[in-house]
Amino acid sequence: MSLDRRSFLRILASGVAAGAAASESPAASAGGARDGVVDWSAVRDEFALDPTWIHLSSFFLVSHPRQVRAAIERWRRRIDDNPLLIEELLLAPGGERPIEDVKAALAGYLGGRADELALVPNTTTGLALVYAGLRLRPGQEVLTTAHDHYSHHESIRRAAEGTGASVRFVALHEMPRGSSRASSGELVARLERAIRPETRAVGLTWVHSSTGLKLPIAEMAGVVARVNASRSGGDRCLLIVDAVHGVGVEDVDAAGLGADFVIAGAHKWLLGPRGTGFIWGRADAWPEVRATVPTFDFADPAVWAAWLARGPLPVTRASHVSPGGFLAYEHVFAVPEAIAFHRALGRDRVARRIGELNQCFRDELAKLSGVVVHTPRDPSLAAGIVAFEVDGLAPEVVVARLRERRIHATASPYAVSFVRVAGGVMNSPAEVEATVAAVHALARSA
């Protein structure tokens, strides 16, 4: 069964209802053994991207699909008509509760429960809130990898300051070229050897934005689970995962990976409104984190009651950690439309499309003389980001010369930098072919 342009647009037009009923939609029935087909040119038309460019950096900040833009505009008009509507939506019992709709949509996509989710503006804020609230004792440590992003490393460093706890880094592969030759077994073994009795938390990134390497998080979670078999209470080792380049790419329930906390922004691969993200946490892991910013998420009435009584907060729940203050609510409330968009396409078909485009990038770039691909060719260790370098040309030079050809790529902001491209649902095989040809021309002229 084929999901043609007309069917696709009809599904999108039905909005969140289509997402909730995805199991009965043509998009869902097109999957499985029949291996349904999506009209990807119709998908591309849902984005207001400049058609004169090849856009290969949507993993950085995505263009809103049409139905997300429309939802933002609907909420903006309602709030502009009556700003006090926000008080009713946040505080009034019964009636509309769009925050709960957002959590329900995310929970359904992640495979978790709505009450396990805290809403945050982005991955950086989510990481900072979890680590800043982590209950650390003198002599304990947080273990992370040498490959993680600035936001992850800084969140850990700042959390450890003044607690008597320390931070330790482990290399999961030989840098920088070892990422492309890494094996799942080696990655897991290196982590297992690195965990010590004093390790209170392990911070990992599902897909590294430096090299495109995808970690076997489920297997690594198994390592942490075995460590915890002989631990309890404040000695328990928590697994904290930056999942921003995995959620929206992989056909996996992120809440089922075995981590204690999974953190991501919704405005990258999830195609959600800018300034939206989440922390998903296991119900038994949330008490290990203190709430550090007052919340405006009053799903738990005990929060307001504790303030009125001048008493302490109850045991930490996810809703306590959602940072308060006024937000761009028109964006937050539009998150379910992004989930509906994914459901209309089918998470399996999205994952397959992204996998095929980026496997083509890895395979074709690897054939070029003078080009070194640093992302593993093995699809089990790669996702949507492809990192490479051209001999004799700095990454920034390659990026600039690709832009002269109207191709948007980026240079990774790490001590060892590479060029990055990423094929998403808005891209086509023809764009991959054109980009590979452009890189080939640069390599020959270098």
Side-chain angles (χ1 to χ4, degrees):
M1 184 181 296
S2 172
L3 181 61
D4 60 19
R5 181 184 179 86
R6 181 176 297 176
S7 298
F8 175 68
L9 294 176
R10 184 174 66 250
I11 294 167
L12 292 188
S14 63
V16 176
S23 60
E24 285 77 39
S25 73
S29 63
R34 285 176 289 186
D35 194 22
V37 177
V38 173
D39 181 350
W40 294 105
S41 65
V43 175
R44 171 63 179 79
D45 289 344
E46 294 302 301
F47 296 86
L49 292 162
D50 185 341
T52 67
W53 284 79
I54 296 175
H55 300 267
L56 299 173
S57 298
S58 293
F59 71 92
F60 177 73
L61 192 63
V62 77
S63 172
H64 295 149
R66 189 188 316 273
Q67 74 183 78
V68 174
R69 298 197 304 272
I72 292 170
E73 181 61 15
R74 287 195 302 272
W75 280 110
R76 185 194 64 77
R77 288 179 178 177
R78 288 187 65 187
I79 296 167
D80 281 345
D81 287 348
N82 175 21
L84 201 57
L85 173 68
I86 295 302
E87 181 182 49
E88 177 184 332
L89 296 176
L90 293 182
L91 297 176
E96 281 187 281
R97 295 304 299 268
I99 289 288
E100 299 310 307
D101 294 339
V102 172
K103 291 182 183 179
L106 285 170
Y109 186 87
L110 298 169
R113 299 199 318 262
D115 63 1
E116 296 169 330
L117 282 160
L119 302 181
V120 295
N122 47 58
T123 311
T124 298
T125 302
L127 289 166
L129 288 169
V130 170
Y131 283 112
L134 187 61
R135 301 177 192 277
L136 292 169
R137 300 196 311 268
Q140 291 184 321
E141 68 170 17
V142 178
L143 175 69
T144 188
T145 82
H147 323 293
D148 281 81
H149 189 267
Y150 157 84
S151 296
H152 206 153
H153 283 169
E154 277 295 284
S155 294
I156 295 171
R157 183 185 68 79
R158 296 180 185 207
E161 283 182 341
T163 66
S166 60
V167 183
R168 187 161 54 90
F169 302 88
V170 59
L172 296 179
H173 56 77
E174 300 306 317
M175 299 188 296
R177 299 199 175 202
S179 57
S180 61
R181 297 190 294 269
S183 69
S184 180
E186 177 191 10
L187 296 168
V188 173
R190 287 197 180 203
L191 176 67
E192 189 163 22
R193 289 195 297 269
I195 297 177
R196 297 172 177 171
E198 63 268 26
T199 305
R200 170 60 164 147
V202 173
L204 299 175
T205 295
W206 192 0
V207 180
H208 291 171
S209 62
S210 53
T211 62
L213 171 67
K214 179 175 68 179
L215 296 184
I217 290 294
E219 290 85 347
M220 291 174 155
V223 169
V224 176
R226 290 193 293 274
V227 166
N228 282 326
S230 59
R231 298 189 187 187
S232 61
D235 293 319
R236 173 181 170 187
C237 184
L238 299 172
L239 177 56
I240 302 167
V241 176
D242 173 349
V244 73
H245 295 300
V247 174
V249 178
E250 299 296 309
D251 186 20
V252 173
D253 283 348
L257 287 170
D260 291 285
F261 294 99
V262 173
I263 302 156
H267 44 216
K268 294 179 185 282
W269 297 97
L270 262 181
L271 312 177
R274 287 182 280 276
T276 60
F278 63 86
I279 308 167
W280 172 86
R282 293 165 55 106
D284 62 350
W286 279 113
E288 303 300 322
V289 173
R290 301 181 189 87
T292 55
V293 178
T295 185
F296 277 16
D297 183 347
F298 298 111
D300 182 358
V303 173
W304 197 256
W307 174 66
L308 292 175
R310 300 295 189 267
L313 277 171
V315 174
T316 305
R317 295 178 53 187
S319 59
H320 304 166
V321 178
S322 295
F326 288 120
L327 309 172
Y329 289 109
E330 61 267 40
H331 281 229
V332 177
F333 297 163
V335 166
E337 296 290 347
I339 303 301
F341 188 88
H342 272 267
R343 288 190 179 279
L345 293 175
R347 192 175 72 178
D348 58 337
R349 283 180 288 275
V350 169
R352 190 180 310 123
R353 176 69 168 186
I354 293 173
E356 289 170 351
L357 290 174
N358 291 289
Q359 185 69 48
C360 187
F361 262 132
R362 294 192 297 273
D363 291 345
E364 295 304 311
L365 288 171
K367 295 176 183 177
L368 302 181
S369 177
V371 175
V372 178
V373 177
H374 291 279
T375 306
R377 302 277 291 281
D378 180 353
S380 71
L381 294 175
I385 298 174
V386 179
F388 67 94
E389 60 182 327
V390 177
D391 290 345
L393 293 177
E396 296 80 6
V397 173
V398 175
V399 168
R401 293 187 181 175
L402 287 175
R403 286 183 181 175
E404 291 171 1
R405 294 164 169 80
R406 303 190 73 78
I407 299 171
H408 277 307
T410 62
S412 58
Y414 293 81
V416 179
S417 179
F418 302 126
V419 184
R420 299 178 299 184
V421 292
V425 296
M426 66 292 294
N427 296 117
S428 68
E431 291 179 323
V432 173
E433 182 180 2
T435 303
V436 171
V439 174
H440 188 201
L442 292 179
R444 286 191 301 177
S445 64

